[in-house]
Amino acid sequence: MAQFDPAAATQAYLAVLTPAQHAKAQAYTQGGHWLLLWGTLVAVAVAWLVLRSGVLVKVRDGIEKGAPKPVRVALAVLIVDAVLEMILSLPWSVYSDWWREKAYGLTSQPFGGWLGEQLLSAVIFIPITTLLMLGLYALMRRAPKTWWLWGSGVVAAFFVVAMILAPVFIMPLFNDYKPAPPGPVRDEVVAMAAKVGVPADKIFIYDGSKQSNRYTANVAGIGATARIAMSDVMFKKDADLAEVRGVVGHEMGHYVRGHIFIFAGMYAAMALVAFFLVDRLFAPVARLLGAKGVRGVADPAGFPVIGIMLAVLGLLATPLQVSITRIGESDADTFSLENFNEPDGLAKALVKTIEYRAATPSKLEEILFYDHPSVGGRVRKAMDWKAAQMQVDAVK
Ligand SMILES: [Zn+2]
């Protein structure tokens, strides 16, 4: 038998796309890096317009009428700001989230459907983020010197709760979740869950095929809400069981290895630095932006100043954030290979993602922008694993 060559096997997987398709994926991916910069500029411009309009100061003064009413002011100002910023940035969202995706053939969603999902997101996320900001403003009032320290803890707790609950309570608003039908796919997943200690009493199927033909899944929740959810693509007649095992094994890896807690620690650390800088630099930045009538960092009428600072700091922190995320993704691949040994199943699923994340970026591009390792690298790792397993088997 000929020697198995991991490099050649990787090339063969990447060759499922023609050179023209790879070039298109690269254009899409690298254009996406620029969108980070343009998106930040749009966010800054929109917040600045709201700030300079003076409307938030008017809302504040209208509610206060001489007597301080901090909670009511924060609530009203934050909601007015969120709605105004959403409307002002809508043209950009239409371009970057819908029109561009459509132009690259990555979505078939009609504009009306997209807009409906955007409005649904706004209805869900504006109250959630407002609640988070209300908490931060309360901290600023009670602990004006150390709010940034406690605030980072609040962000971490918020992140964990959101990550645990979102798939259970929010994702069902966008897709239809039903108990998975009995059959070989479900049986396989139940056996996999038993092997690595993932709760398997709730296994759901959702209509992921309306968004894409990829094998997608997630394992989320905690305690009574823990469940496995899989796209209906995996339950089609010709579904590839090896691919299902590779992908679901990866998702189980995120769950078993507790990645959300690592990510929460990362966001807490990033929030700590960002909030500290906001606390120290608020006054000069507010002056620079020409904020009028804003009393200080704890005044919700100055929220756009905080928004602008966080947008810029977020952009600067992108390489750090994507790199930590990327390490977690690599770890989930390792978990899948070690526990379920489906290098070809994993590789087959991975090459389906090349369209929107170019397969072979430069090392620098990967470090700066990729929140998943490149598919070229991931497939190669799976093929190296396969080669190592073949050697183990040969020795036996
Ligand atoms: Zn993952």
Side-chain angles (χ1 to χ4, degrees), residues 24 28 35 92-115 210-211 355-356:
K24 188 175 159 201
Y28 173 78
L35 287 193
W92 171 255
S93 305
V94 171
Y95 166 73
S96 62
D97 279 1
W98 181 77
W99 189 87
R100 184 170 182 267
E101 298 294 306
K102 195 108 180 157
Y104 275 99
L106 293 173
T107 181
S108 50
Q109 202 174 25
F111 180 69
W114 176 84
L115 194 64
K210 81 173 178 185
Q211 280 108 355
E355 283 187 288
Y356 61 90

Side-chain angles (χ1 to χ4, degrees), residues 250-251 254 329:
H250 171 100
E251 296 303 328
H254 283 308
E329 293 299 335

